[in-house]
């Protein structure tokens, strides 16, 4: 089972693309090290205070994929630099 989540975030206190990318690099690197997911920025690359991320995991069952994505979103939400605006899921 492949679980896919698109997550949109508002990044507080980001006043340049350099600051935004610093936040993204730090959080995405930690996420990849901690959990069994792949993650990439999908949209809003040229906007300072927004980002849309794609988080993907592969598991033996839908329940395991849901659990891994939930853990990834919980981990991302734990950073005070941003706030989640929207999330959508797909299962393959």
């Amino acid at each position: 089972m492949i679980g896919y989540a698109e997550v949109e975030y508002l990044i507080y206190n980001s006043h340049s693309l350099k600051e935004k990318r610093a936040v993204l690099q730090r959080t995405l690197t930690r996420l990849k090290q901690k959990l069994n997911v792949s993650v990439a920025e999908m949209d809003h690359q040229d906007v300072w205070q927004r980002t849309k991320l794609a988080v993907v995991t592969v598991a033996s069952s839908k329940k395991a994929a849901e659990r891994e994505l939930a853990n990834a979103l919980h981990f991302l939400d734990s950073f005070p630099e941003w706030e989640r605006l929207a999330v959508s899921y797909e299962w393959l």
Side-chain angles (χ1 to χ4, degrees):
M1 175 64 63
I2 299 171
Y4 171 80
E6 277 189 10
V7 191
E8 193 164 343
Y9 284 98
L10 175 65
I11 303 171
Y12 300 116
N13 300 324
S14 177
H15 303 292
S16 69
L17 290 174
K18 186 175 182 178
E19 289 177 4
K20 173 190 173 180
R21 293 207 170 94
V23 169
L24 281 175
Q25 185 176 15
R26 181 176 62 250
T27 55
L28 299 185
T29 300
R30 288 181 186 172
L31 177 65
K32 290 176 194 176
Q33 290 173 346
K34 186 174 173 96
L35 297 169
N36 185 25
V37 297
S38 292
V39 62
E41 185 178 20
M42 296 295 296
D43 200 4
H44 307 302
Q45 285 96 344
D46 295 331
V47 180
W48 297 353
Q49 293 187 324
R50 282 199 128 167
T51 189
K52 184 181 269 189
L53 304 175
V55 183
V56 180
T57 189
V58 177
S60 59
S61 68
K62 183 176 180 181
K63 187 171 184 161
E66 286 175 340
R67 185 174 48 248
E68 195 68 22
L69 286 178
N71 289 339
L73 294 181
H74 180 71
F75 180 77
L76 288 171
D77 290 343
S78 71
F79 290 92
E81 294 95 340
W82 57 21
E83 176 185 356
R84 184 177 358 161
L85 301 176
V87 63
S88 63
Y89 296 95
E90 287 187 36
W91 309 102
L92 305 171

